[in-house]
Amino acid sequence: MEEYCFMNSSASPGGSGVSGLLFASLISTLVSTQNQLGNPEDYPKDATSQLLPEYDFVVVGGGSAGSVVASRLSEVNKWKILLLEAGGDPTPTSDIPILAINLQNTEIDWQYRTEPQQGMCQGLRDRRCNWPRGKVLGGSSVINYMMYIRGMKGDYDKWAQDGNYGWSFDEILPFFKKSEDMTYKPLLQSRGNISYHATGGPLTVEKANVDHYKESFLRAVIEMGYEWLEDINGERQLGFGELFGTLRDGRRCSTAKAFLSPVKDNDNLHVVKHVHVTRLLINETTKTAYGVEFQHNNGHIYTVKSGKEIILSAGAINSPQILMLSGIGPKSHLEEMGINPIVQNLCVGENLQDHLIFVGLVFNIKDSQISQPPNKLDTYYDFLTKRSGILTKFGVTDMFGYIKTNISTSDNRSDLQIYFLLVNANDTESASLLSHAFGLDGYTTASMQALTQQADLLIGAPAIIRPESRGRILLKSSDPFQHPKIFPGYLTDPENKDIDTLLQGIDFYLKFIETNEMKSKEGKQRKLYIKNCDNIEISTRAYWECALRHIGTTVYHPSGTCKMGPESDSTAVVSPELKVYGVKGLRVADASIMPTIVSGNINAPTIMIGEKAADMIRKEWELKKRHI
């Protein structure tokens, strides 16, 4: 059993009375629950010893989309499916929601970091942003913050308007609902002519654990004139609402748990773990992908063939890397890297998009109603015995919002997400952990820790969700084991629209803290010390732009690097059916296919992409059978 991070608690096993009994009971509970958290019996066994020379479908990547694709294709009993995953099973710690931040920079994280670029990530360690990505069965759905947000109707309608037939909101909504098992009954009632939620799907969606500041924050945003929304995934998104997450009985519900556990005993599905795909096998003459080469961590190199298709679901970083290593990508770059032969000249790795979040806006607040933090042993015991308490929280407050600035004039979609991050008074350890996750240097970390010693620390964190800026991914070399170069391109749009938008997000929080509600909590703006920005007056645009360029960072949503588009789009990599242009037998199904990033967190949309991809594949091959 994995060692639990909370077993380093300062509680003494030699205690007496109630404390001693509680500790003994906790240990007993830990023993009895070790096969409930991260239980390997919940997931498919490794099938390396059972590898076949050929499968009907080979799915590369068992993450948020790949788990869905493999699961749905395995429902056709006559098809043989192989799922290849770089990591292993989800760990016990990953099952505990509030420990999400602890999972970064561990063995289940690829531990990517961006390349240094002028004007972004300047105040982070080595001037590089951390880009965590899940290296585990279930992918980033195992290490994310579990927020279930679909994006906006206009996002998908724009995809369809740009030539991606079949991807309008009305057409993709059934695939969101196909996955979903919504447990909050009020959202299951129809709104007008449409129902936005469903039950019975494999992915459990629960309401977030209530934060003690929620009611206060709610009163503050209503005082500012914003609408309170019962369903942030419903008909309207402008406003504020409570969060829903991919949780099941207070534990994380990853795509590995939701989609692979139910089919773990299917004879036609083989899952091979701890393998690194080195390239796709492509017939140069017919330009047909017919197999995959991969190396197991046991050192052996394997090749398997695909009789029908290969589905690449390795994510917005790995999918373009694998394509380029296989000779599919920008011709000049592949020649520079010595890739040979060049199979197809496509804009692979371009169009990289991400949501940039700013964590440099800090306030102290107080709530006289709050008692001392709960005893750690009580907290763990509540979770292990009742699946309740603080450990079931996301790690952010349970409400967030969408606002629209005057920068966004094209339609009614918002352009900012509003997050509230909280650190309890005197919790310098959590402040340090949060700071480390964002990559802040020691100077800024010490400043954040000092602020927690004054009162509860509120971090106002605006995230731009419709960025103009674009980045790219390039190979570092032809070595498949080297991480690719990630150039995020943050804040590089020539008209500075992204900066202007984020500045309005900062202005939102400055008005928020001045509400009567926040004044009643003794809300006060504080200065987070950032090297190279400290000598600039805090109330000026120059200061905020300096801060944005120094500690603005990822909110973990890389996408767009294998762009979906019609054949007339010279920058498109895949068709609306997700088929790679110019190469037969090969599709991409993950967040990399997004033409433009959705206006919100991308895990739910990525699961939807997996559902729709599997549906298209099944229908196409069933139709072919009828015409044989």
Side-chain angles (χ1 to χ4, degrees), residues 338-368:
I339 303 296
N340 186 48
I342 296 174
V343 177
Q344 191 70 14
N345 181 20
L346 294 172
C347 294
V348 173
E350 303 294 329
N351 192 47
L352 174 61
Q353 298 159 67
D354 186 25
H355 294 146
L356 183 74
I357 193 169
F358 178 58
V359 293
L361 189 60
V362 293
F363 309 93
N364 281 132
I365 53 177
K366 295 180 180 179
D367 191 338
S368 60

Side-chain angles (χ1 to χ4, degrees), residues 184-481:
Y184 186 61
K185 293 182 180 179
L187 297 194
L188 297 173
Q189 301 169 5
S190 295
R191 305 296 196 274
N193 296 322
I194 187 169
S195 176
Y196 289 90
H197 297 280
T199 60
L203 185 72
T204 309
V205 179
E206 293 182 351
K207 194 175 181 180
N209 190 356
V210 175
D211 186 90
H212 59 252
Y213 274 112
K214 190 201 82 168
E215 293 300 328
S216 184
F217 289 171
L218 167 59
R219 288 191 291 268
V221 295
I222 290 177
E223 183 181 333
M224 294 173 72
Y226 290 98
E227 183 179 359
W228 179 252
L229 304 173
E230 183 183 27
D231 184 6
I232 207 73
N233 291 305
E235 183 179 1
R236 300 188 313 281
Q237 279 82 40
L238 284 175
F240 288 77
E242 291 182 273
L243 284 170
F244 290 81
T246 49
L247 303 168
R248 180 181 295 167
D249 191 24
R251 292 178 291 170
R252 179 189 295 273
C253 184
S254 68
T255 57
K257 185 181 293 184
F259 291 90
L260 294 179
S261 292
V263 298
K264 65 185 178 69
D265 296 320
N266 285 13
D267 292 336
N268 66 333
L269 173 64
H270 283 175
V271 177
V272 176
K273 309 167 192 177
H274 302 291
V275 296
H276 193 104
V277 171
T278 52
R279 64 184 178 118
L280 307 176
L281 305 178
I282 302 172
N283 185 302
E284 297 175 44
T285 304
T286 63
K287 290 194 174 183
T288 301
Y290 65 88
V292 178
E293 177 185 275
F294 56 93
Q295 183 170 323
H296 198 280
N297 66 356
N298 61 17
H300 294 167
I301 297 174
Y302 300 84
T303 60
V304 293
K305 293 183 178 180
S306 61
K308 290 181 170 62
E309 290 189 29
I310 299 167
I311 300 95
L312 191 54
S313 297
I317 300 172
N318 295 84
S319 284
Q321 181 187 26
I322 292 170
L323 286 175
M324 288 189 281
L325 289 169
S326 306
I328 303 170
K331 184 173 183 291
S332 59
H333 177 56
L334 299 188
E335 289 175 339
E336 181 185 357
M337 292 294 105
I339 303 296
N340 186 48
I342 296 174
V343 177
Q344 191 70 14
N345 181 20
L346 294 172
C347 294
V348 173
E350 303 294 329
N351 192 47
L352 174 61
Q353 298 159 67
D354 186 25
H355 294 146
L356 183 74
I357 193 169
F358 178 58
V359 293
L361 189 60
V362 293
F363 309 93
N364 281 132
I365 53 177
K366 295 180 180 179
D367 191 338
S368 60
Q369 304 298 315
I370 301 172
S371 60
Q372 291 297 315
N375 179 280
K376 284 186 178 181
L377 289 178
D378 291 339
T379 298
Y380 304 144
Y381 192 71
D382 283 346
F383 175 78
L384 292 169
T385 59
K386 296 181 286 187
R387 299 291 186 249
S388 64
I390 194 172
L391 295 186
T392 64
K393 288 181 60 62
F394 294 163
V396 296
T397 55
D398 64 335
M399 63 165 279
F400 89 117
Y402 283 117
I403 66 172
K404 183 179 185 296
T405 72
N406 60 21
I407 306 297
S408 176
T409 57
S410 58
D411 57 32
N412 290 323
R413 282 177 290 168
S414 72
D415 48 357
L416 280 174
Q417 249 181 341
I418 299 296
Y419 291 96
F420 301 94
L421 310 181
L422 277 169
V423 181
N424 290 332
N426 298 312
D427 190 355
T428 56
E429 182 180 347
S430 291
S432 178
L433 184 62
L434 184 68
S435 180
H436 182 75
F438 284 124
L440 305 181
D441 63 18
Y443 182 76
T444 305
T445 299
S447 173
M448 185 177 291
Q449 289 177 311
L451 290 172
T452 66
Q453 295 174 349
Q454 300 183 38
D456 291 341
L457 182 66
L458 168 64
I459 302 173
I464 187 166
I465 53 175
R466 297 177 60 201
E468 297 287 333
S469 300
R470 297 291 185 271
R472 66 193 311 202
I473 288 177
L474 297 173
L475 295 177
K476 190 170 290 182
S477 73
S478 59
D479 180 358
F481 293 93

Side-chain angles (χ1 to χ4, degrees), residues 3-17:
E3 182 181 0
Y4 291 83
C5 63
F6 52 74
M7 288 301 288
N8 293 321
S9 169
S10 59
S12 169
S16 60

